[in-house]
Structures are given as C-alpha cells and as structure tokens.
Amino acid sequence: MVEKYRHLNRGIRKGQTLFVGSSLMEHFPINEILVNRGLDLAIYNRGISGYTIPELLESMNEQIFDLEPSVIFINIGTNDISRPEETKEDLYRDYKEVLSQIKERLPLALVYMMAYYPVNPALAKEIQAWPEAAEAARLRKERLPGANDVVKKLAAEYCYEYIDVNEGLYDDAGELKRELSTDGIHMWPEAYEIIFDNMKDYLSKTVEK
C-alpha cells in the first residue's frame, strides 16, 4: 500500500482534505459517499490496514506529507491498543511523535483527532476473522476509554481538535451494533454513512477553510 500511495501521490491535488489511519480508515468509502450525495469535496484516503503508529511513522511522507493537506482527519492506534504489551505511555509517546512531525511540517493544517470506534467482542469471538480477533476486540473494549483520554490530552497539547463521531454506532450495551459490523471490529458501509453524517459539521469547516 505504501508503494501504491507513492505512485498515486504523483497526481494528487495538494492542499486538500486527508483521511489517514489504519484499516478502519482505509475501509471508509468516503469518495463513494461523496458521489452518492452529490457533494463536490476532494478527500484523499491514505489508511493502511493493520498499521500501527510506529508503522505510520515510517511512511509519513506517503500517507501525509506528500499530499500537503490543509485538513487532516486522523484515526490511528486501534491496532496498537490491541497488543497485550501496549501501554498508555506507549500510545502517548508514539502518537505524540506523529503530531510533532505534522505540527513541524504542516503548521497551518487543521487537524481532527478522531475518537476510537466501538467494538463488539462477542461478534468478534463468533466470527474469528483472524486468530487473535477475539482477544483484540476484548483488549480494545477494555482500553478504549483510556486510549481516548490520551487522544484528548494530545489534542489539547497541540491545539488540535478531538472529535467523537460515533453516535449511532452503539447498541444498548455500549458496544458496536452487530448489524453494522463485519466481524466485531470492522464495519459495513452503512456504519460509515452514520459516521459521515456525524462528521458533516467538521467537513463543512474544511470547505470554509
């Protein structure tokens, strides 16, 4: 994917809006949603499935800087908090390095740091999309509140905006609705339609910018 993005970036329009992160961002069908709704917005998606924050740090040019975006929506770290050895200190340190580089290289960029999406551990255990899926979902659910606190703290430190666009994704137990999820962790396009509706106000700011 990094090599693919390197080639795609040769023809991009710089200064547009960027979505960056791991699989939950890569799977966001943003351009189909824009076309279906008749919206004339240029949004580039540079998510990479399976990526952790250290991996993003190795491909900042391909995923961020080559595009010279004026607006960035970032959702990275869910794979990090799925690892048993990961700590809040690790998350803070690694995410901070991403933001430090963005602040240095793109000081005028408007950055939205997205809250992590909910999961459904029971569904992940049933489907078992990969051997560690059930444990990954369990760890994510357990760690999401603390991880979101880290994201909020970093957003405040760097004068970026923390946004939670998850309204409508939760069931009565506070987990990701089964009908919106492919495997307890990833989501169907219908879920992204809900997320997009929750993002409208933020996207309108990108147009004003």
Side-chain angles (χ1 to χ4, degrees):
M1 285 300 293
V2 173
E3 185 65 19
K4 174 185 174 181
Y5 289 155
R6 188 175 294 123
H7 284 268
L8 283 173
N9 289 346
R10 295 172 183 171
I12 55 93
R13 288 165 49 195
K14 295 184 178 182
Q16 306 304 311
T17 297
L18 173 68
F19 281 14
V20 65
S22 54
S23 60
L24 289 164
M25 194 62 99
E26 183 186 346
H27 297 174
F28 202 129
I30 183 59
N31 287 298
E32 289 216 11
I33 292 174
L34 294 175
V35 170
N36 292 343
R37 299 190 183 207
L39 298 174
D40 185 21
L41 291 174
I43 300 178
Y44 291 100
N45 190 327
R46 292 294 183 266
I48 298 181
S49 293
Y51 254 35
T52 61
I53 301 175
E55 288 172 314
L56 171 61
L57 284 166
E58 294 177 358
S59 58
M60 293 286 281
N61 288 329
E62 292 82 3
Q63 289 188 264
I64 300 177
F65 298 132
D66 287 350
L67 294 94
E68 297 180 17
S70 61
V71 182
I72 301 171
F73 289 87
I74 184 168
N75 189 332
I76 189 72
T78 52
N79 291 311
D80 303 72
I81 65 174
S82 300
R83 300 182 304 178
E85 67 273 17
E86 182 79 3
T87 66
K88 288 174 65 174
E89 291 74 24
D90 294 331
L91 181 67
Y92 176 85
R93 180 197 64 234
D94 294 341
Y95 210 145
K96 182 182 179 69
E97 179 58 28
V98 171
L99 300 179
S100 295
Q101 291 189 30
I102 292 174
K103 183 67 77 173
E104 179 181 355
R105 297 275 298 272
L106 300 168
L108 300 180
L110 182 63
V111 178
Y112 293 106
M113 299 170 60
M114 299 172 68
Y116 297 118
Y117 298 127
V119 294
N120 190 308
L123 182 58
K125 187 174 182 179
E126 288 174 24
I127 295 179
Q128 203 70 265
W130 67 93
E132 299 82 20
E135 179 64 5
R138 185 191 70 78
L139 285 172
R140 287 189 195 188
K141 180 182 178 182
E142 177 184 300
R143 295 172 171 179
L144 281 175
N148 281 328
D149 286 343
V150 170
V151 178
K152 290 177 188 176
K153 179 179 179 181
L154 285 168
E157 285 184 20
Y158 283 84
C159 296
Y160 292 150
E161 188 165 357
Y162 170 86
I163 62 172
D164 186 335
V165 292
N166 298 336
E167 183 179 357
L169 300 181
Y170 298 98
D171 62 16
D172 292 340
E175 298 180 344
L176 179 60
K177 292 179 179 177
R178 294 176 69 93
E179 64 269 24
L180 295 178
S181 181
T182 63
D183 57 12
I185 292 175
H186 300 96
M187 298 180 287
W188 293 112
E190 291 85 349
Y192 287 106
E193 294 279 357
I194 293 170
I195 295 166
F196 182 83
D197 285 333
N198 294 336
M199 295 175 73
K200 280 181 177 177
D201 289 344
Y202 306 108
L203 288 167
S204 66
K205 291 180 185 179
T206 74
V207 176
E208 294 168 6
K209 183 176 175 67

